[in-house]
């Protein structure tokens, strides 16, 4: 069950008909993708407007996670894959990693893994433009990741540690 609290305060209240749902990566949406992305179809709901959207996994994608405009998951050989909500428009990137929808689904934010580095990426899907910070990966270990694991599902600011001495702050709201 998903619960909400008014911005004016008060007691938390159950969101009607939200049993079996969790927060999606794009607010104010909830999703029934509870099981680690192994389902092949389901629903997204906007808790503010009540809008409902169906999603269907393309048969070539595993571990699908959807926002209101597109879905991401793993394609062949654990490569990053994107699709439309209905399973069409499949795009498999030639890298492993993870992307998540942010800013209403306009942005794809995440990381792509290369043999010696991790690329922290922000891709504006409406303009096709992308920017990233490529961080060398220590031999035998993971690179530095986004510093938002314990933060908001849809943060306004991302931080990435590009070295032990440098922290880069990325303001997603500044992307126009």
């Amino acid at each position: 069950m998903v619960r909400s609290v008014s911005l004016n305060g008060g007691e938390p209240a159950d969101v009607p008909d939200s049993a079996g749902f969790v927060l999606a990566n794009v607010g104010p949406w909830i999703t029934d993708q509870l099981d680690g992305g192994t389902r092949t179809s389901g629903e997204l709901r906007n808790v503010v407007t009540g809008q409902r959207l169906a999603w269907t996994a393309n048969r070539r994608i595993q571990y699908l996670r959807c926002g209101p405009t597109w879905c991401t998951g793993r394609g062949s050989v654990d490569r990053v894959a994107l699709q439309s909500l209905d399973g069409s428009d499949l795009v498999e990137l030639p890298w492993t990693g993870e992307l998540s929808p942010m800013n209403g689904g306009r942005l794809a934010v995440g990381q792509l893994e290369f043999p010696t580095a991790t690329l922290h990426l922000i891709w504006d899907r409406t303009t096709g433009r992308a920017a990233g910070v490529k961080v060398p990966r220590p031999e035998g270990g993971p690179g530095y990741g986004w510093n938002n694991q314990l933060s908001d599902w849809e943060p306004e600011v991302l931080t990435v540690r590009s070295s032990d001495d440098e922290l880069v702050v990325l303001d997603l709201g500044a992307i126009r």
Side-chain angles (χ1 to χ4, degrees), residues 24-100:
N25 282 37
V26 177
W29 293 86
I30 58 176
T31 181
D32 57 1
Q33 294 170 295
L34 289 171
D35 57 359
T38 58
R39 293 183 62 187
T40 59
S41 65
E43 183 178 68
L44 290 154
R45 293 184 190 164
N46 184 311
V47 297
V48 174
T49 67
Q51 181 182 6
R52 295 174 183 228
L53 298 172
W55 59 268
T56 302
N58 184 294
R59 62 178 176 75
R60 294 175 23 203
I61 294 186
Q62 301 172 27
Y63 308 109
L64 192 70
R65 294 293 293 176
C66 295
T69 55
W70 56 278
C71 306
T72 183
R74 291 188 197 153
S76 60
V77 196
D78 285 338
R79 304 279 164 88
V80 176
L82 307 172
Q83 69 163 57
S84 295
L85 288 174
D86 65 1
S88 66
D89 303 321
L90 177 66
V91 175
E92 281 194 66
L93 302 178
W95 307 286
T96 60
E98 185 174 323
L99 294 174
S100 296

Side-chain angles (χ1 to χ4, degrees), residues 104-141:
R106 175 182 171 194
L107 302 178
V109 177
Q111 60 193 41
L112 301 175
E113 301 297 331
F114 297 95
T116 60
T118 298
L119 175 66
H120 301 284
L121 174 73
I122 299 173
W123 172 22
D124 184 333
R125 297 192 67 229
T126 60
T127 66
R129 294 171 53 189
V133 177
K134 194 170 184 181
V135 181
R137 189 172 30 254
E139 191 171 323

Side-chain angles (χ1 to χ4, degrees), residues 1 8 22 28 32 52 80 82 94 102 109-110 119 132 144 147 159:
M1 182 66 68
N8 297 324
V22 296
D32 57 1
R52 295 174 183 228
V80 176
L82 307 172
M102 291 195 184
V109 177
L119 175 66
Y144 293 103
N147 190 12
T159 58

